[in-house]
Amino acid sequence: MLKNFCRWLIWSLFTLTLLLCCATWFVTADVTGSSMYPTYRDGDFILCLRKSKITHSDIVAIYSDELNKILCKRVIGLPGDSVVISGNTVSVNGAVLSEPYLKDLHWSEKLNIKVPDEALFLLGDNRSDSRDSRELGCLSIHNVRGICVIDITKVFGLTRDGFKLIIPFMWVVLLVGGFRRGKQVTN
């Protein structure tokens, strides 16, 4: 009995450690609107890696002070970059971006900006229907919640509400599984 309790306790500690690691390293975000279509759709639920090194083309979940909400947008310009938009062509530091993720090329802009320190220049993938740095200006790098890594809706078919329902069930299975794993089966 004591042996089973010890196994259950170790399994419980493992489960708790896993939960704390997930809470420390990951954050979630919801996609609202069609600004990231076709990469993300309205209602998609995204798992984001907290504060790691941000690079060009990453999709980030970032808080917009002006809109008072979290946005999911693609990183086009990092601090110090020169971003030029001419028609529907985007250049960063003189190099034209290859953007195979864009499906709608029916947008046209004219913009020339140098990204300030501690800021990011962000664009939605659906450029004709996106409120992004073209309108909002560069957003503070300190408002980044995380880098989008997994579209939970596409991979598992779960929205935020479905995820809320399944997570407690998963933790119970882990805890009970650890307890049941400790039982000896005899023939």
Side-chain angles (χ1 to χ4, degrees), residues 152-172:
I152 294 171
T153 304
K154 277 185 189 169
V155 175
F156 300 107
L158 293 173
T159 61
R160 179 175 291 281
D161 292 336
F163 192 71
K164 284 179 186 176
L165 291 174
I166 200 165
I167 287 300
F169 174 74
M170 289 173 54
W171 289 115
V172 168

Side-chain angles (χ1 to χ4, degrees), residues 121-142:
F121 186 86
L122 308 166
L123 293 175
D125 288 356
N126 184 4
R127 304 278 161 83
S128 61
D129 187 25
S130 178
R131 293 186 76 185
D132 49 38
S133 290
R134 294 171 296 170
E135 177 185 340
L136 304 172
C138 294
L139 279 77
S140 172
I141 203 165
H142 301 291

Side-chain angles (χ1 to χ4, degrees), residues 77-78 80-84 91-94 112-115:
L78 296 170
D81 283 349
S82 173
V83 178
V84 176
S91 299
V92 177
N93 299 326
N112 187 345
I113 188 170
K114 181 171 169 88
V115 181

Side-chain angles (χ1 to χ4, degrees), residues 76 83-85 88-92 95-97 99 107 123 127:
I76 301 299
V83 178
V84 176
I85 299 175
N88 62 7
T89 302
V90 179
S91 299
V92 177
V96 175
L97 292 184
E99 298 182 291
W107 63 281
L123 293 175
R127 304 278 161 83

Side-chain angles (χ1 to χ4, degrees), residues 31-37 40-43 69 129:
V31 176
T32 55
S34 62
S35 71
M36 284 303 293
Y37 182 82
Y40 296 138
R41 295 181 182 343
D42 184 32
K69 68 179 190 174
D129 187 25

Side-chain angles (χ1 to χ4, degrees), residues 15-176:
T15 304
L16 183 60
T17 302
L18 183 62
L19 176 65
L20 290 172
C21 288
C22 287
T24 301
W25 294 330
F26 295 98
V27 67
T28 59
D30 294 295
V31 176
T32 55
S34 62
S35 71
M36 284 303 293
Y37 182 82
T39 307
Y40 296 138
R41 295 181 182 343
D42 184 32
D44 280 358
F45 183 54
I46 311 296
L47 183 68
C48 305
L49 184 61
R50 285 187 194 261
K51 304 280 185 171
S52 66
K53 184 173 174 22
I54 298 170
T55 60
H56 292 100
S57 290
D58 282 342
I59 298 174
V60 295
I62 188 166
Y63 179 77
S64 166
D65 293 321
E66 185 174 331
L67 299 177
N68 193 28
K69 68 179 190 174
I70 293 179
L71 308 172
C72 290
K73 301 292 179 193
R74 190 173 299 273
V75 176
I76 301 299
L78 296 170
D81 283 349
S82 173
V83 178
V84 176
I85 299 175
S86 181
N88 62 7
T89 302
V90 179
S91 299
V92 177
N93 299 326
V96 175
L97 292 184
S98 170
E99 298 182 291
Y101 42 81
L102 295 181
K103 298 295 182 214
D104 178 17
L105 298 176
H106 297 91
W107 63 281
S108 181
E109 297 281 330
K110 196 128 188 99
L111 181 75
N112 187 345
I113 188 170
K114 181 171 169 88
V115 181
D117 291 340
E118 307 295 318
L120 299 171
F121 186 86
L122 308 166
L123 293 175
D125 288 356
N126 184 4
R127 304 278 161 83
S128 61
D129 187 25
S130 178
R131 293 186 76 185
D132 49 38
S133 290
R134 294 171 296 170
E135 177 185 340
L136 304 172
C138 294
L139 279 77
S140 172
I141 203 165
H142 301 291
N143 287 346
V144 172
R145 300 294 193 242
I147 297 172
C148 302
V149 290
I150 297 174
D151 185 341
I152 294 171
T153 304
K154 277 185 189 169
V155 175
F156 300 107
L158 293 173
T159 61
R160 179 175 291 281
D161 292 336
F163 192 71
K164 284 179 186 176
L165 291 174
I166 200 165
I167 287 300
F169 174 74
M170 289 173 54
W171 289 115
V172 168
V173 167
L174 277 172
L175 287 172
V176 170

